[in-house]
PDB file of all heavy atoms in Angstrom:
ATOM      1  N   ARG A   1      91.745 101.001 106.461  1.00 93.00           N
ATOM      2  CA  ARG A   1      90.853 101.332 107.594  1.00 93.00           C
ATOM      3  C   ARG A   1      90.821 102.838 107.854  1.00 93.00           C
ATOM      4  O   ARG A   1      89.890 103.336 108.479  1.00 93.00           O
ATOM      5  CB  ARG A   1      91.244 100.554 108.838  1.00 93.00           C
ATOM      6  CG  ARG A   1      90.910  99.061 108.740  1.00 93.00           C
ATOM      7  CD  ARG A   1      90.999  98.342 110.055  1.00 93.00           C
ATOM      8  NE  ARG A   1      90.553  96.973 109.904  1.00 93.00           N
ATOM      9  CZ  ARG A   1      91.346  95.903 109.849  1.00 93.00           C
ATOM     10  NH1 ARG A   1      92.668  96.089 109.910  1.00 93.00           N
ATOM     11  NH2 ARG A   1      90.863  94.697 109.690  1.00 93.00           N
ATOM     12  N   GLY A   2      91.790 103.551 107.405  1.00 88.00           N
ATOM     13  CA  GLY A   2      91.787 105.002 107.535  1.00 88.00           C
ATOM     14  C   GLY A   2      90.980 105.723 106.490  1.00 88.00           C
ATOM     15  O   GLY A   2      90.836 106.919 106.558  1.00 88.00           O
ATOM     16  N   ARG A   3      90.450 104.964 105.501  1.00 94.00           N
ATOM     17  CA  ARG A   3      89.665 105.556 104.409  1.00 94.00           C
ATOM     18  C   ARG A   3      88.516 104.650 104.049  1.00 94.00           C
ATOM     19  O   ARG A   3      88.564 103.947 103.043  1.00 94.00           O
ATOM     20  CB  ARG A   3      90.578 105.839 103.225  1.00 94.00           C
ATOM     21  CG  ARG A   3      89.894 106.794 102.216  1.00 94.00           C
ATOM     22  CD  ARG A   3      90.805 107.048 101.010  1.00 94.00           C
ATOM     23  NE  ARG A   3      92.034 107.733 101.383  1.00 94.00           N
ATOM     24  CZ  ARG A   3      92.995 108.026 100.521  1.00 94.00           C
ATOM     25  NH1 ARG A   3      92.875 107.698  99.238  1.00 94.00           N
ATOM     26  NH2 ARG A   3      94.088 108.630 100.923  1.00 94.00           N
ATOM     27  N   PRO A   4      87.436 104.665 104.816  1.00 92.00           N
ATOM     28  CA  PRO A   4      86.276 103.817 104.533  1.00 92.00           C
ATOM     29  C   PRO A   4      85.717 104.079 103.122  1.00 92.00           C
ATOM     30  O   PRO A   4      85.664 105.257 102.692  1.00 92.00           O
ATOM     31  CB  PRO A   4      85.265 104.207 105.599  1.00 92.00           C
ATOM     32  CG  PRO A   4      86.066 104.754 106.734  1.00 92.00           C
ATOM     33  CD  PRO A   4      87.236 105.464 106.047  1.00 92.00           C
ATOM     34  N   GLY A   5      85.350 103.046 102.413  1.00 96.00           N
ATOM     35  CA  GLY A   5      84.796 103.202 101.074  1.00 96.00           C
ATOM     36  C   GLY A   5      85.848 103.412  99.976  1.00 96.00           C
ATOM     37  O   GLY A   5      85.485 103.737  98.840  1.00 96.00           O
ATOM     38  N   ALA A   6      87.138 103.241 100.335  1.00 98.00           N
ATOM     39  CA  ALA A   6      88.195 103.398  99.312  1.00 98.00           C
ATOM     40  C   ALA A   6      87.993 102.400  98.191  1.00 98.00           C
ATOM     41  O   ALA A   6      87.526 101.270  98.407  1.00 98.00           O
ATOM     42  CB  ALA A   6      89.553 103.182  99.975  1.00 98.00           C
ATOM     43  N   GLY A   7      88.364 102.812  97.001  1.00 98.00           N
ATOM     44  CA  GLY A   7      88.249 101.938  95.824  1.00 98.00           C
ATOM     45  C   GLY A   7      89.528 101.150  95.587  1.00 98.00           C
ATOM     46  O   GLY A   7      90.604 101.726  95.558  1.00 98.00           O
ATOM     47  N   VAL A   8      89.403  99.830  95.404  1.00 98.00           N
ATOM     48  CA  VAL A   8      90.527  98.959  95.160  1.00 98.00           C
ATOM     49  C   VAL A   8      90.295  98.178  93.886  1.00 98.00           C
ATOM     50  O   VAL A   8      89.220  97.620  93.679  1.00 98.00           O
ATOM     51  CB  VAL A   8      90.776  97.995  96.333  1.00 98.00           C
ATOM     52  CG1 VAL A   8      91.861  96.973  95.974  1.00 98.00           C
ATOM     53  CG2 VAL A   8      91.149  98.749  97.583  1.00 98.00           C
ATOM     54  N   LEU A   9      91.309  98.133  93.010  1.00 98.00           N
ATOM     55  CA  LEU A   9      91.248  97.349  91.761  1.00 98.00           C
ATOM     56  C   LEU A   9      92.155  96.135  91.960  1.00 98.00           C
ATOM     57  O   LEU A   9      93.337  96.273  92.232  1.00 98.00           O
ATOM     58  CB  LEU A   9      91.730  98.201  90.600  1.00 98.00           C
ATOM     59  CG  LEU A   9      91.855  97.474  89.245  1.00 98.00           C
ATOM     60  CD1 LEU A   9      90.490  96.957  88.786  1.00 98.00           C
ATOM     61  CD2 LEU A   9      92.444  98.393  88.176  1.00 98.00           C
ATOM     62  N   ASN A  10      91.594  94.953  91.786  1.00 98.00           N
ATOM     63  CA  ASN A  10      92.337  93.698  91.914  1.00 98.00           C
ATOM     64  C   ASN A  10      92.340  93.003  90.558  1.00 98.00           C
ATOM     65  O   ASN A  10      91.324  92.510  90.099  1.00 98.00           O
ATOM     66  CB  ASN A  10      91.679  92.827  92.977  1.00 98.00           C
ATOM     67  CG  ASN A  10      92.531  91.591  93.317  1.00 98.00           C
ATOM     68  OD1 ASN A  10      93.667  91.469  92.860  1.00 98.00           O
ATOM     69  ND2 ASN A  10      91.991  90.711  94.140  1.00 98.00           N
ATOM     70  N   LEU A  11      93.506  93.023  89.899  1.00 98.00           N
ATOM     71  CA  LEU A  11      93.661  92.429  88.552  1.00 98.00           C
ATOM     72  C   LEU A  11      94.228  91.024  88.647  1.00 98.00           C
ATOM     73  O   LEU A  11      95.110  90.756  89.445  1.00 98.00           O
ATOM     74  CB  LEU A  11      94.557  93.303  87.698  1.00 98.00           C
ATOM     75  CG  LEU A  11      94.088  94.742  87.447  1.00 98.00           C
ATOM     76  CD1 LEU A  11      95.160  95.520  86.716  1.00 98.00           C
ATOM     77  CD2 LEU A  11      92.778  94.761  86.640  1.00 98.00           C
ATOM     78  N   PHE A  12      93.781  90.125  87.783  1.00 97.00           N
ATOM     79  CA  PHE A  12      94.101  88.712  87.819  1.00 97.00           C
ATOM     80  C   PHE A  12      93.726  88.176  89.219  1.00 97.00           C
ATOM     81  O   PHE A  12      94.489  87.507  89.874  1.00 97.00           O
ATOM     82  CB  PHE A  12      95.582  88.455  87.549  1.00 97.00           C
ATOM     83  CG  PHE A  12      96.068  89.076  86.269  1.00 97.00           C
ATOM     84  CD1 PHE A  12      96.757  90.290  86.291  1.00 97.00           C
ATOM     85  CD2 PHE A  12      95.899  88.447  85.057  1.00 97.00           C
ATOM     86  CE1 PHE A  12      97.215  90.852  85.118  1.00 97.00           C
ATOM     87  CE2 PHE A  12      96.361  88.998  83.866  1.00 97.00           C
ATOM     88  CZ  PHE A  12      97.023  90.234  83.887  1.00 97.00           C
ATOM     89  N   ALA A  13      92.515  88.489  89.638  1.00 97.00           N
ATOM     90  CA  ALA A  13      92.100  88.386  91.023  1.00 97.00           C
ATOM     91  C   ALA A  13      91.785  86.967  91.439  1.00 97.00           C
ATOM     92  O   ALA A  13      91.670  86.670  92.645  1.00 97.00           O
ATOM     93  CB  ALA A  13      90.881  89.253  91.294  1.00 97.00           C
ATOM     94  N   TYR A  14      91.602  86.046  90.534  1.00 96.00           N
ATOM     95  CA  TYR A  14      91.371  84.632  90.784  1.00 96.00           C
ATOM     96  C   TYR A  14      90.244  84.413  91.791  1.00 96.00           C
ATOM     97  O   TYR A  14      89.166  84.944  91.619  1.00 96.00           O
ATOM     98  CB  TYR A  14      92.685  83.934  91.154  1.00 96.00           C
ATOM     99  CG  TYR A  14      92.659  82.456  90.943  1.00 96.00           C
ATOM    100  CD1 TYR A  14      92.339  81.922  89.659  1.00 96.00           C
ATOM    101  CD2 TYR A  14      92.915  81.537  91.947  1.00 96.00           C
ATOM    102  CE1 TYR A  14      92.303  80.559  89.443  1.00 96.00           C
ATOM    103  CE2 TYR A  14      92.891  80.186  91.761  1.00 96.00           C
ATOM    104  CZ  TYR A  14      92.562  79.655  90.499  1.00 96.00           C
ATOM    105  OH  TYR A  14      92.513  78.325  90.300  1.00 96.00           O
ATOM    106  N   THR A  15      90.486  83.663  92.846  1.00 96.00           N
ATOM    107  CA  THR A  15      89.397  83.301  93.767  1.00 96.00           C
ATOM    108  C   THR A  15      89.185  84.328  94.860  1.00 96.00           C
ATOM    109  O   THR A  15      88.381  84.104  95.777  1.00 96.00           O
ATOM    110  CB  THR A  15      89.661  81.927  94.378  1.00 96.00           C
ATOM    111  OG1 THR A  15      90.919  81.921  94.985  1.00 96.00           O
ATOM    112  CG2 THR A  15      89.578  80.848  93.334  1.00 96.00           C
ATOM    113  N   GLY A  16      89.873  85.476  94.812  1.00 95.00           N
ATOM    114  CA  GLY A  16      89.449  86.623  95.562  1.00 95.00           C
ATOM    115  C   GLY A  16      89.927  86.770  96.993  1.00 95.00           C
ATOM    116  O   GLY A  16      89.310  87.482  97.763  1.00 95.00           O
ATOM    117  N   GLY A  17      91.047  86.146  97.358  1.00 96.00           N
ATOM    118  CA  GLY A  17      91.549  86.318  98.701  1.00 96.00           C
ATOM    119  C   GLY A  17      91.837  87.787  99.031  1.00 96.00           C
ATOM    120  O   GLY A  17      91.366  88.310 100.062  1.00 96.00           O
ATOM    121  N   ALA A  18      92.583  88.484  98.153  1.00 97.00           N
ATOM    122  CA  ALA A  18      92.884  89.868  98.398  1.00 97.00           C
ATOM    123  C   ALA A  18      91.625  90.720  98.295  1.00 97.00           C
ATOM    124  O   ALA A  18      91.492  91.713  99.032  1.00 97.00           O
ATOM    125  CB  ALA A  18      93.934  90.353  97.389  1.00 97.00           C
ATOM    126  N   SER A  19      90.730  90.378  97.432  1.00 98.00           N
ATOM    127  CA  SER A  19      89.459  91.122  97.299  1.00 98.00           C
ATOM    128  C   SER A  19      88.693  91.066  98.618  1.00 98.00           C
ATOM    129  O   SER A  19      88.178  92.087  99.115  1.00 98.00           O
ATOM    130  CB  SER A  19      88.578  90.548  96.185  1.00 98.00           C
ATOM    131  OG  SER A  19      89.218  90.675  94.921  1.00 98.00           O
ATOM    132  N   LEU A  20      88.611  89.883  99.188  1.00 97.00           N
ATOM    133  CA  LEU A  20      87.905  89.708 100.470  1.00 97.00           C
ATOM    134  C   LEU A  20      88.616  90.442 101.610  1.00 97.00           C
ATOM    135  O   LEU A  20      87.960  91.056 102.454  1.00 97.00           O
ATOM    136  CB  LEU A  20      87.786  88.233 100.799  1.00 97.00           C
ATOM    137  CG  LEU A  20      86.692  87.473 100.071  1.00 97.00           C
ATOM    138  CD1 LEU A  20      86.858  85.988 100.249  1.00 97.00           C
ATOM    139  CD2 LEU A  20      85.318  87.928 100.564  1.00 97.00           C
ATOM    140  N   ALA A  21      89.957  90.364 101.654  1.00 97.00           N
ATOM    141  CA  ALA A  21      90.681  91.040 102.687  1.00 97.00           C
ATOM    142  C   ALA A  21      90.438  92.545 102.656  1.00 97.00           C
ATOM    143  O   ALA A  21      90.245  93.171 103.681  1.00 97.00           O
ATOM    144  CB  ALA A  21      92.173  90.752 102.601  1.00 97.00           C
ATOM    145  N   CYS A  22      90.442  93.115 101.436  1.00 98.00           N
ATOM    146  CA  CYS A  22      90.216  94.583 101.301  1.00 98.00           C
ATOM    147  C   CYS A  22      88.768  94.937 101.635  1.00 98.00           C
ATOM    148  O   CYS A  22      88.510  95.933 102.311  1.00 98.00           O
ATOM    149  CB  CYS A  22      90.567  95.032  99.890  1.00 98.00           C
ATOM    150  SG  CYS A  22      92.363  94.958  99.520  1.00 98.00           S
ATOM    151  N   ALA A  23      87.819  94.116 101.139  1.00 97.00           N
ATOM    152  CA  ALA A  23      86.412  94.385 101.414  1.00 97.00           C
ATOM    153  C   ALA A  23      86.133  94.297 102.934  1.00 97.00           C
ATOM    154  O   ALA A  23      85.314  95.045 103.478  1.00 97.00           O
ATOM    155  CB  ALA A  23      85.529  93.462 100.661  1.00 97.00           C
ATOM    156  N   ALA A  24      86.824  93.362 103.615  1.00 96.00           N
ATOM    157  CA  ALA A  24      86.618  93.220 105.049  1.00 96.00           C
ATOM    158  C   ALA A  24      87.035  94.456 105.789  1.00 96.00           C
ATOM    159  O   ALA A  24      86.577  94.748 106.882  1.00 96.00           O
ATOM    160  CB  ALA A  24      87.393  92.002 105.558  1.00 96.00           C
ATOM    161  N   ALA A  25      87.984  95.255 105.209  1.00 96.00           N
ATOM    162  CA  ALA A  25      88.465  96.498 105.798  1.00 96.00           C
ATOM    163  C   ALA A  25      87.625  97.689 105.339  1.00 96.00           C
ATOM    164  O   ALA A  25      87.996  98.832 105.646  1.00 96.00           O
ATOM    165  CB  ALA A  25      89.926  96.717 105.467  1.00 96.00           C
ATOM    166  N   GLY A  26      86.539  97.456 104.615  1.00 96.00           N
ATOM    167  CA  GLY A  26      85.624  98.530 104.244  1.00 96.00           C
ATOM    168  C   GLY A  26      85.809  99.058 102.855  1.00 96.00           C
ATOM    169  O   GLY A  26      85.148 100.014 102.441  1.00 96.00           O
ATOM    170  N   ALA A  27      86.677  98.429 102.025  1.00 98.00           N
ATOM    171  CA  ALA A  27      86.895  98.910 100.654  1.00 98.00           C
ATOM    172  C   ALA A  27      85.794  98.475  99.718  1.00 98.00           C
ATOM    173  O   ALA A  27      85.080  97.494  99.945  1.00 98.00           O
ATOM    174  CB  ALA A  27      88.237  98.402 100.143  1.00 98.00           C
ATOM    175  N   VAL A  28      85.656  99.217  98.619  1.00 98.00           N
ATOM    176  CA  VAL A  28      84.813  98.823  97.496  1.00 98.00           C
ATOM    177  C   VAL A  28      85.745  98.262  96.440  1.00 98.00           C
ATOM    178  O   VAL A  28      86.562  99.013  95.877  1.00 98.00           O
ATOM    179  CB  VAL A  28      83.995 100.017  96.976  1.00 98.00           C
ATOM    180  CG1 VAL A  28      83.165  99.606  95.750  1.00 98.00           C
ATOM    181  CG2 VAL A  28      83.086 100.575  98.079  1.00 98.00           C
ATOM    182  N   VAL A  29      85.651  96.974  96.158  1.00 98.00           N
ATOM    183  CA  VAL A  29      86.641  96.282  95.327  1.00 98.00           C
ATOM    184  C   VAL A  29      86.090  95.977  93.955  1.00 98.00           C
ATOM    185  O   VAL A  29      84.976  95.450  93.837  1.00 98.00           O
ATOM    186  CB  VAL A  29      87.086  94.976  96.038  1.00 98.00           C
ATOM    187  CG1 VAL A  29      88.146  94.259  95.189  1.00 98.00           C
ATOM    188  CG2 VAL A  29      87.605  95.256  97.449  1.00 98.00           C
ATOM    189  N   THR A  30      86.893  96.234  92.941  1.00 98.00           N
ATOM    190  CA  THR A  30      86.596  95.795  91.557  1.00 98.00           C
ATOM    191  C   THR A  30      87.517  94.623  91.304  1.00 98.00           C
ATOM    192  O   THR A  30      88.742  94.771  91.238  1.00 98.00           O
ATOM    193  CB  THR A  30      86.822  96.920  90.539  1.00 98.00           C
ATOM    194  OG1 THR A  30      85.922  97.992  90.845  1.00 98.00           O
ATOM    195  CG2 THR A  30      86.541  96.424  89.152  1.00 98.00           C
ATOM    196  N   HIS A  31      86.940  93.442  91.190  1.00 98.00           N
ATOM    197  CA  HIS A  31      87.644  92.164  91.060  1.00 98.00           C
ATOM    198  C   HIS A  31      87.607  91.757  89.592  1.00 98.00           C
ATOM    199  O   HIS A  31      86.541  91.464  89.053  1.00 98.00           O
ATOM    200  CB  HIS A  31      86.917  91.145  91.962  1.00 98.00           C
ATOM    201  CG  HIS A  31      87.348  89.720  91.805  1.00 98.00           C
ATOM    202  ND1 HIS A  31      87.974  89.063  92.844  1.00 98.00           N
ATOM    203  CD2 HIS A  31      87.231  88.832  90.794  1.00 98.00           C
ATOM    204  CE1 HIS A  31      88.192  87.811  92.455  1.00 98.00           C
ATOM    205  NE2 HIS A  31      87.796  87.650  91.230  1.00 98.00           N
ATOM    206  N   VAL A  32      88.780  91.689  88.946  1.00 98.00           N
ATOM    207  CA  VAL A  32      88.859  91.420  87.495  1.00 98.00           C
ATOM    208  C   VAL A  32      89.626  90.142  87.248  1.00 98.00           C
ATOM    209  O   VAL A  32      90.781  89.986  87.663  1.00 98.00           O
ATOM    210  CB  VAL A  32      89.515  92.591  86.733  1.00 98.00           C
ATOM    211  CG1 VAL A  32      89.594  92.310  85.238  1.00 98.00           C
ATOM    212  CG2 VAL A  32      88.805  93.895  87.006  1.00 98.00           C
ATOM    213  N   ASP A  33      88.956  89.193  86.576  1.00 96.00           N
ATOM    214  CA  ASP A  33      89.616  87.985  86.117  1.00 96.00           C
ATOM    215  C   ASP A  33      88.925  87.543  84.835  1.00 96.00           C
ATOM    216  O   ASP A  33      87.679  87.670  84.746  1.00 96.00           O
ATOM    217  CB  ASP A  33      89.543  86.854  87.164  1.00 96.00           C
ATOM    218  CG  ASP A  33      90.565  85.764  86.894  1.00 96.00           C
ATOM    219  OD1 ASP A  33      90.359  84.997  85.953  1.00 96.00           O
ATOM    220  OD2 ASP A  33      91.585  85.701  87.619  1.00 96.00           O
ATOM    221  N   SER A  34      89.667  87.075  83.867  1.00 93.00           N
ATOM    222  CA  SER A  34      89.057  86.736  82.580  1.00 93.00           C
ATOM    223  C   SER A  34      88.229  85.481  82.616  1.00 93.00           C
ATOM    224  O   SER A  34      87.393  85.260  81.766  1.00 93.00           O
ATOM    225  CB  SER A  34      90.151  86.598  81.508  1.00 93.00           C
ATOM    226  OG  SER A  34      91.008  85.501  81.808  1.00 93.00           O
ATOM    227  N   ALA A  35      88.398  84.640  83.635  1.00 93.00           N
ATOM    228  CA  ALA A  35      87.685  83.373  83.751  1.00 93.00           C
ATOM    229  C   ALA A  35      86.420  83.523  84.560  1.00 93.00           C
ATOM    230  O   ALA A  35      86.489  83.785  85.793  1.00 93.00           O
ATOM    231  CB  ALA A  35      88.596  82.299  84.338  1.00 93.00           C
ATOM    232  N   ARG A  36      85.279  83.361  83.944  1.00 95.00           N
ATOM    233  CA  ARG A  36      83.999  83.467  84.671  1.00 95.00           C
ATOM    234  C   ARG A  36      83.903  82.433  85.791  1.00 95.00           C
ATOM    235  O   ARG A  36      83.308  82.656  86.844  1.00 95.00           O
ATOM    236  CB  ARG A  36      82.839  83.304  83.708  1.00 95.00           C
ATOM    237  CG  ARG A  36      82.721  84.454  82.703  1.00 95.00           C
ATOM    238  CD  ARG A  36      81.471  84.319  81.824  1.00 95.00           C
ATOM    239  NE  ARG A  36      81.430  85.363  80.838  1.00 95.00           N
ATOM    240  CZ  ARG A  36      80.950  86.572  81.047  1.00 95.00           C
ATOM    241  NH1 ARG A  36      80.469  86.883  82.255  1.00 95.00           N
ATOM    242  NH2 ARG A  36      80.970  87.485  80.073  1.00 95.00           N
ATOM    243  N   SER A  37      84.466  81.246  85.552  1.00 95.00           N
ATOM    244  CA  SER A  37      84.360  80.189  86.545  1.00 95.00           C
ATOM    245  C   SER A  37      85.051  80.557  87.851  1.00 95.00           C
ATOM    246  O   SER A  37      84.484  80.292  88.933  1.00 95.00           O
ATOM    247  CB  SER A  37      84.949  78.881  86.000  1.00 95.00           C
ATOM    248  OG  SER A  37      86.316  79.054  85.655  1.00 95.00           O
TER     249      SER A  37
END
């Protein structure tokens, strides 16, 4: 929250709980998982 637009890399991100938590705080998240599903 002290750095709006911060970039976050989430590896083995699965269904994206951490991705959503970071995006909710204003981050730009790169969510990486090998499974398209």
Side-chain angles (χ1 to χ4, degrees):
R1 287 193 176 104
R3 194 180 297 178
V8 173
L9 176 61
N10 189 7
L11 298 174
F12 307 98
Y14 201 55
T15 54
S19 297
L20 281 168
C22 291
V28 177
V29 181
T30 299
H31 171 115
V32 180
D33 197 287
S34 64
R36 293 184 184 277
S37 59

